[in-house]
Amino acid sequence: MTKAVPRPLDSRQTPNRGRGFATFDEPSKPLLVDDEGNPDFVAIQQSEEFTALRRRALLFIFPMTALFLAWYLTYVIASAYAHDFMSTRVLGVVNVGILLGLLQFVTTVALTLSYARYAKRRLDPQVSAVRELAGIVEE
Amino acid sequence: MRVDGPATGGNVAINISVFAVFVLITLYVVYRASTRNTTAADYYAAGSSFTGPQNGIALSGDFLSAASFLGISGGIAVHGYDGFLYSVGWVVAWLMGLMLIAERLRNTGRFTLGDVLSFRMRQRPVRAAAANATLVISLFYMVAQMAGAGALMALLLNVQGRVGQGIVIAVVGVVMVLYVLVGGMKGTTWVQIIKAVLLLLCVSFMTIFLLGKFGFSLSAIMETGSRNTPLGESVLDPGALYGGSELSKLDFVSLALSLVLGVTSLPHVLMRFYTVPNAREARRSVVWATMLMATFYLCTLVIGFGALALVGSETIAAAPGGENSAAPLLAFEVGGAVLLGIVAAVAFATILAVVAGLTLTASASFAHDVYANVIKRGTADPRSEVRVARLTAIAVGLLSIVGGIAASGQNVAFLVALALALAASANLPTIIFSLFWKRFNTSGTLWSIYGGLSSCLVLIIFSPAMSGAPSSIFPEVDFHWFPLGNPGIVSIPLSFVCGWLGTLFSRTKADPVKQAEMEVRSMTGIGSGLT
């Protein structure tokens, strides 16, 4: 395990050039590390960059989790208690239940891809911005 | 083999040779992969050297156990729609892992679930609790797989009688301990990758063949299938297995809840996330696993109904191994003795690889959490920790051989569902609270682990699965008072409530500094040394 190493003093004076949205045109920030160069987690947790990251992550994760669990349980409960509806033939002998089950596969794949895309475009850059606060420079 | 014959007859030689070739190749790969296998990081987490796609394939391999390949296709072939419901739960479940668990677990821990749960709590009691949960869940899951091996061999190698099956189970146990001792996590992961690729190729081939035969119409396969079962067209509708009484409907909802919440709380699945170098790769591995699982279970839908159409449910039910024999019987119909041999070897390899993964997880949990941190209080020398892990692997192997022989003949998919209920009850609420609830503290952690684990165990013991029904483990006695076969619907919410109450009633508050460290680290990797 490597400790986060603070950048040399001179580079601390250079502003963070726009890696996170909160750092546009702001004066350079001191690194959020203690005397030994270890990250100051409480300060990072309260930083604008981190609260923005947390908000972005949770705003996606919690509603989507609630959504897919509700949709899955609806399907399960319908299968258990709404036999007639689920047994309605749609295409040949393929019934509503099979189609809804296949739709579960489709929504799972779609949600997986949309989370991967969201994380790549909206979360990863913000993670880099927070990591810069602790002096970790991405390659 | 004739389909109406009692066993595989003349194909035993082919089955054994395909299987022996597989074991030799994988043992060689394990040996080659193990050159640098001395540190704890190598042994437990393959030095975090796998890429997301590699780990994704291995993850799907971990989950494509005999229960899901043989059990699900057999379940669909015999129970139709109700068998299909299992596969839906097992695909949807990966969303939990993707969004809530994978990345945060990778950033926070090093080798075990105990690393994460004890991060901001008092180390020793929480690590001990996490290790207890891991050992109980892994043993349950392992006994299920070993029991499946015995049943499978009855069909594939024409091994009849308890002694013969016992020997088969012992051989499985010995080979898998070899994998773990020689290869550690790296070797085990390569075995999973090889096996998962073979299995996916197998099911894709069978699916394409079946679709081609029936003019690429799922409806045609299902219609032909429905003429080959005493259930008639109702096999296509929900309710063939769980449609009887109000209780069985509730039992089904309970099962579905365990499936969707249990998969990504399984210790051996969680431990896979440590084999990749960072959170982004952990995310990629779940994306890969989800895609592969979705493909796989779409194929099993076709294979299940295809087996019904070409083999017929009465032949399947009468074959040795019962429901579990649907996929092998279909393989024989489709590709003759050679394809049967390959499917048989892959199915057997599946059991071997999954059990190896479980053994590794259980031994890591004991050596890293109990030995190094509870007994030695964090001062153990890493070499002795790995030695303890190897000794534990041998002990766990022996235990599961004994358990597997004792449980041989039990319903495999059902035992797996119980292990999932245990995982969802003991691990999931604790992981969620620990990651997302600031005030969660040591006593909340202990309450939710032990509350979930013990309530789930008690309800299993007093359920119809254990006694009082023709299909239970002890059919001749009746001490059941809990009406459901799967306890998930009670024990999972109960564990959440326990965690919440334990936190409220505790006099010691959560440590805000450690909480800040865990939250920042879990979301960004700062302090973990990961890139």
Side-chain angles (χ1 to χ4, degrees):
Chain A
M1 298 240 308
T2 49
K3 287 269 156 56
V5 181
R7 282 179 284 176
L9 267 179
D10 55 344
S11 72
R12 291 194 197 185
Q13 306 308 320
T14 55
N16 293 336
R17 272 186 296 271
R19 290 296 293 266
F21 69 89
T23 56
F24 288 139
D25 302 321
E26 281 176 29
S28 80
K29 291 187 174 183
L31 286 180
L32 299 177
V33 293
D34 65 16
D35 300 339
E36 286 155 24
N38 295 320
D40 181 346
F41 288 107
V42 176
I44 296 173
Q45 190 186 33
Q46 284 158 2
S47 69
E48 247 174 81
E49 285 84 349
F50 184 77
T51 45
L53 169 64
R54 178 168 53 197
R55 195 169 53 241
R56 282 186 195 180
L58 298 188
L59 267 178
F60 188 93
I61 290 170
F62 284 163
M64 288 303 165
T65 304
L67 199 70
F68 88 75
L69 280 180
W71 161 225
Y72 172 73
L73 287 177
T74 310
Y75 167 73
V76 165
I77 290 170
S79 295
Y81 294 98
H83 283 178
D84 293 342
F85 170 68
M86 297 299 260
S87 309
T88 316
R89 300 274 189 272
V90 182
L91 297 166
V93 295
V94 178
N95 55 32
V96 175
I98 297 271
L99 284 182
L100 288 183
L102 293 176
L103 203 55
Q104 292 276 345
F105 281 60
V106 175
T107 52
T108 301
V109 168
L111 191 49
T112 302
L113 291 178
S114 67
Y115 173 75
R117 188 182 153 92
Y118 182 83
K120 195 166 186 165
R121 302 168 114 206
R122 302 277 295 159
L123 301 182
D124 287 349
Q126 191 65 14
V127 167
S128 300
V130 177
R131 284 166 72 94
E132 280 188 5
L133 294 179
I136 304 171
V137 187
E138 308 288 318
E139 68 282 356
Chain B
M1 185 191 85
R2 293 199 321 277
V3 173
D4 54 349
T8 52
N11 297 297
V12 172
I14 295 178
N15 290 347
I16 291 184
S17 43
V18 177
F19 176 60
V21 168
F22 177 86
V23 169
L24 287 177
I25 292 175
T26 47
L27 271 178
Y28 176 71
V29 169
V30 165
Y31 171 73
R32 285 299 302 258
S34 66
T35 42
R36 235 172 25 88
N37 213 359
T38 45
T39 69
D42 285 334
Y43 181 74
Y44 296 141
S48 301
S49 59
F50 282 99
T51 66
Q54 286 172 334
N55 189 47
I57 298 172
L59 260 178
S60 62
D62 255 330
F63 207 69
L64 300 177
S65 58
S68 42
F69 174 45
L70 302 174
I72 299 278
S73 48
I76 294 173
V78 175
H79 305 296
Y81 184 87
D82 283 11
F84 173 57
L85 285 162
Y86 270 90
S87 37
V88 174
W90 279 341
V91 169
V92 173
W94 288 92
L95 287 170
M96 286 302 275
L98 175 70
M99 294 197 287
L100 295 175
I101 296 172
E103 296 169 50
R104 288 172 174 74
L105 193 85
R106 170 62 281 195
N107 277 333
T108 314
R110 289 183 69 205
F111 302 138
T112 63
L113 178 60
D115 287 343
V116 177
L117 298 184
S118 70
F119 192 91
R120 60 191 176 96
M121 313 298 173
R122 272 169 51 222
Q123 292 285 315
R124 298 179 71 214
V126 172
R127 279 191 186 272
N132 278 331
T134 298
L135 290 171
V136 170
I137 297 162
S138 300
L139 271 175
F140 239 88
Y141 207 88
M142 200 144 39
V143 166
Q145 301 290 336
M146 298 291 259
L152 188 61
M153 285 308 107
L155 175 79
L156 304 177
L157 302 183
N158 201 10
V159 178
Q160 305 286 0
R162 284 191 77 89
V163 178
Q165 292 190 20
I167 293 171
V168 170
I169 290 174
V171 170
V172 175
V174 170
V175 176
M176 121 229 146
V177 170
L178 262 182
Y179 281 157
V180 174
L181 291 185
V182 176
M185 188 51 134
K186 196 179 247 174
T188 314
T189 305
W190 277 114
V191 174
Q192 286 293 14
I193 292 174
I194 295 170
K195 174 215 103 179
V197 170
L198 283 176
L199 187 57
L200 284 162
L201 287 176
C202 250
V203 294
S204 312
F205 172 76
M206 286 167 74
T207 305
I208 292 168
F209 176 88
L210 282 169
L211 284 174
K213 192 174 171 71
F214 287 93
F216 292 93
S217 158
L218 180 61
S219 176
I221 297 179
M222 289 169 62
E223 200 182 349
T224 317
S226 67
R227 280 190 238 117
N228 265 340
T229 161
L231 292 166
E233 289 220 342
S234 71
V235 77
L236 308 175
D237 303 333
L241 183 59
Y242 291 100
S245 62
E246 286 306 307
L247 264 181
S248 70
K249 289 176 184 172
L250 195 63
D251 200 8
F252 169 69
V253 176
S254 180
L255 172 78
L257 204 61
S258 298
L259 296 182
V260 77
L261 299 179
V263 172
T264 46
S265 328
L266 286 169
H268 67 291
V269 170
L270 293 171
M271 204 166 150
R272 283 239 148 268
F273 296 127
Y274 295 129
T275 64
V276 293
N278 56 42
R280 252 162 284 166
E281 292 298 315
R283 183 197 305 145
R284 279 178 79 201
S285 57
V286 189
V287 172
W288 271 75
T290 309
M291 298 304 154
L292 294 175
M293 301 294 277
T295 314
F296 178 84
Y297 285 117
L298 286 178
C299 292
T300 54
L301 178 67
V302 176
I303 290 175
F305 281 117
L308 199 51
L310 295 183
V311 184
S313 77
E314 276 162 353
T315 315
I316 293 169
E323 275 176 55
N324 292 334
S325 61
L329 288 175
L330 178 66
F332 183 75
E333 277 294 312
V334 170
V338 178
L339 189 62
L340 172 69
I342 292 172
V343 167
V346 168
F348 198 58
T350 295
I351 297 179
L352 211 58
V354 170
V355 174
L358 285 161
T359 309
L360 187 81
T361 306
S363 71
S365 174
F366 182 80
H368 183 63
D369 288 327
V370 177
Y371 172 76
N373 283 296
V374 175
I375 298 175
K376 293 279 181 178
R377 293 171 182 260
T379 60
D381 144 51
R383 282 186 169 275
S384 69
E385 188 182 320
V386 173
R387 196 170 56 241
V388 169
R390 292 202 155 111
L391 288 174
T392 318
I394 296 175
V396 169
L398 286 177
L399 263 181
S400 62
I401 290 172
V402 173
I405 291 172
S408 89
Q410 292 300 322
N411 182 331
V412 180
F414 179 73
L415 286 174
V416 166
L418 291 183
L420 286 173
L422 278 167
S425 311
N427 289 345
L428 185 79
T430 327
I431 299 172
I432 301 280
F433 276 149
S434 192
L435 289 172
F436 295 101
W437 189 26
K438 265 185 187 176
R439 289 177 58 198
F440 194 52
N441 58 24
T442 302
S443 57
T445 309
L446 296 176
W447 280 42
S448 70
I449 294 178
Y450 286 125
L453 192 64
S454 56
S455 65
C456 196
L457 274 177
V458 166
L459 292 181
I460 289 173
I461 291 170
F462 294 104
S463 75
M466 287 299 277
S467 70
S471 60
S472 35
I473 294 177
F474 303 109
E476 49 305 311
V477 284
D478 184 2
F479 49 85
H480 91 280
W481 48 259
F482 182 69
L484 303 180
N486 191 300
I489 203 168
V490 176
S491 61
I492 299 170
L494 187 72
S495 172
F496 273 107
V497 172
C498 282
W500 180 62
L501 287 179
T503 303
L504 290 191
F505 286 133
S506 166
R507 258 163 286 149
T508 49
K509 291 266 181 294
D511 178 349
V513 178
K514 287 303 270 182
Q515 192 275 330
E517 181 175 353
M518 184 171 178
E519 187 174 13
V520 170
R521 178 167 166 169
S522 71
M523 292 186 71
T524 64
I526 295 172
S528 64
L530 305 176
T531 51

